[in-house]
Amino acid sequence: QGDTPLALEYFLKSLQIQEETGNKAGTAALLNNVGRLEKVLGNYSSSEKYLQRSLKLANELGSPRLISYATMSLSELAKSQGRYEYALEMYEVYIQMKDSIDNEATQKAAVQQQAKYEYEKQKAIDDAEHDKQIAIENAAYENSLAIEQEEKAKQKVITYAIGGGLILVIGFLAFVFNRLRITKKQKAVIEDQKEVVELAHKKLMSKKK
């Protein structure tokens, strides 16, 4: 909204909170913001004071990003004051930090890419192992079905064999029973004939006497 003094007031309150809570990174960032607003308001001396504090704290933290913020702000401030040599010096530091950030981002991207590759590689291995396990389980299931069908076929053959054997036994018993019945009948006939012969023989002997 263009109300720079009010913005500065809120930045200073936020800076106080960051300092009280011991948040050094937040403090460095807010020192830079306050310094930039002081520059906008034309308070160059106060602006440099805040920006130098921001740069010092950023160096203590070893944060390339915070250092780049502070050095860029100091470069712009020095340029506004006509201190071109110092402006160039700060700008060169800013470029170094920016390159460092870019390299860090590149390394981070490379690490992420490597992690992605390792993940996809492991996932492919796990998928292959899973597919292999499924294939083994399917083969085992099919083998189990084949064994079950074979057992059923064997059981069927055994059932037919037992049934056939029972039919043969029943047929044999019927044959034996029939032969016994015929034999018994023939024996009875023979016994009757024997009695007739004996009776005739007795009669003959009686006549002879």
Side-chain angles (χ1 to χ4, degrees), residues 79-97:
K79 185 178 178 181
S80 299
Q81 294 175 312
R83 297 184 295 150
Y84 298 110
E85 184 177 350
Y86 185 71
L88 178 60
E89 179 185 342
M90 290 294 98
Y91 187 75
E92 287 176 347
V93 176
Y94 162 75
I95 293 298
Q96 291 176 0
M97 293 301 102

Side-chain angles (χ1 to χ4, degrees), residues 162-182:
I162 293 173
L166 287 174
I167 292 172
L168 288 175
V169 169
I170 292 171
F172 178 73
L173 290 175
F175 173 75
V176 170
F177 177 76
N178 186 55
R179 293 304 301 171
L180 288 173
R181 186 175 60 81
I182 294 172

Side-chain angles (χ1 to χ4, degrees), residues 183-197:
T183 302
K184 185 176 180 181
K185 186 176 180 181
Q186 289 177 345
K187 186 177 180 181
V189 172
I190 291 171
E191 289 293 333
D192 290 342
Q193 291 177 350
K194 185 177 178 182
E195 288 180 0
V196 171
V197 171

